[in-house]
Amino acid sequence: FAVDVYQWDMHRINHIFIFDMQMKDATPSSNIALFGLAMLIAVLAVPGTFWLVFGLSLQTSMAMLFFSVVLAVAYMTLKFKHGYLRFLLGRLLVLLSAPFHAVRFPDFFLGDQLTSHTYLLQQFVLLAYCAGESECATCHTAPKTVWAALAITAVPYWLRLMQCFRRLKDEWYQRRHMPFVDRWSHALNAGKYSMSLLVVVAKMLEYAYDTGATFGIYVVFATIAATYACAWDFYMDWGLLRTKAQGNKDHFLLRSNLALPHHSVYYGAMIFNLGLRVLWVGTLIPQIHLDEKQVYPLVLAILEVLRRCHWNFFRVENEHLNNCGQFRATHLIPLPIRDEPEHHD
């Protein structure tokens, strides 16, 4: 996220206005990076300290790390009245209560971030179930752990699905005269997350029955979901793949307004996003799927975070230039210029 903030500031994309934040809540990208680095050091150092120095079990050490991080985040949220952390935690509470609140840009943006962190949510489930087990090497394959991990995977997609239904209800009247795709965009977006939920259900069926039929169902649903999501990324979220970019004939398969001067960046971004969207195919290989060291899922999770990072930039850029989400009454948007303090003689 620090990289995204740095790039938005560099290209004068007013993410503060788009996120509906106050200028006083803005945090420099360097501070965000330092906070992330501190959290990384804590994740690496705290469990090792309790495990090696104090002789506690690895499960107990990881549990203490989890609660320490929660307490640290809560303290910093209450200590500092403003900033990204407090703002995002406030929007997280709104996200968890979907669809009982009107959906703003930061609400669905945060929901999309959660869909890319399902591996982290699964590890929290694994930590919770393994904390009281004596055999940590086998607890991750226990049926109750697998079922809980699959269930928690569906939560981010369910929240986004509820947000789509809420926006469909709230914006139906103002969109009723728009073209078909714009009028039913929230319903189509709900279909995308419904397909993701069907992939999770198919995975549950494959785990429960482990037959060729359930495996085939999972492959079909996963293929449709990956294709659906990738097409939505390009056409709706990023506003690309436009055959007629008005006033800019050289923007082939892009859009009329671009924040970056080099068009090759957009083509490269589409290729990168497409490649990472289809990496799920590797999980269909039995030798990788049954890898007890969980190396491939970890690598895949890291790559998904990188994909989400570059998705964030182009999504906010498109919102800044074209108001594609219809969150603003006008296309005009102020420049991201901080107010200078007044000097009185």
Side-chain angles (χ1 to χ4, degrees), residues 81-110:
K81 297 182 179 180
H82 309 292
Y84 277 116
L85 184 60
R86 187 181 181 90
F87 176 80
L88 291 177
L89 288 178
R91 304 321 304 173
L92 179 61
L93 294 178
V94 176
L95 170 64
L96 295 177
S97 61
F100 302 108
H101 296 276
V103 180
R104 295 158 51 191
F105 185 91
D107 302 329
F108 88 80
F109 186 86
L110 184 58

Side-chain angles (χ1 to χ4, degrees), residues 66-88:
F66 174 74
F67 290 112
S68 299
V69 170
V70 171
L71 291 176
V73 171
Y75 171 77
M76 287 183 290
T77 304
L78 296 175
K79 179 70 174 178
F80 303 102
K81 297 182 179 180
H82 309 292
Y84 277 116
L85 184 60
R86 187 181 181 90
F87 176 80
L88 291 177

Side-chain angles (χ1 to χ4, degrees), residues 75-185:
Y75 171 77
M76 287 183 290
T77 304
L78 296 175
K79 179 70 174 178
F80 303 102
K81 297 182 179 180
H82 309 292
Y84 277 116
L85 184 60
R86 187 181 181 90
F87 176 80
L88 291 177
L89 288 178
R91 304 321 304 173
L92 179 61
L93 294 178
V94 176
L95 170 64
L96 295 177
S97 61
F100 302 108
H101 296 276
V103 180
R104 295 158 51 191
F105 185 91
D107 302 329
F108 88 80
F109 186 86
L110 184 58
D112 282 332
Q113 308 309 303
L114 288 183
T115 61
S116 293
H117 290 79
T118 54
Y119 179 81
L120 179 61
L121 298 177
Q122 292 172 0
Q123 298 310 302
F124 284 150
V125 172
L126 178 64
L127 174 62
Y129 274 94
C130 291
E133 299 288 339
S134 58
E135 294 294 335
C136 185
T138 60
C139 69
H140 72 280
T141 59
K144 63 178 182 180
T145 307
V146 176
W147 283 111
L150 290 174
I152 198 67
T153 302
V155 172
Y157 300 109
W158 174 260
L159 294 176
R160 285 294 289 120
L161 179 64
M162 293 298 100
Q163 286 182 332
C164 292
F165 286 146
R166 177 58 191 251
R167 290 200 67 190
L168 179 64
K169 169 186 174 296
D170 292 344
E171 301 178 16
W172 168 253
Y173 183 80
Q174 69 186 62
R175 289 175 175 262
R176 68 191 187 281
H177 298 306
M178 291 183 177
F180 177 83
V181 174
D182 294 328
R183 184 170 69 251
W184 294 99
S185 61

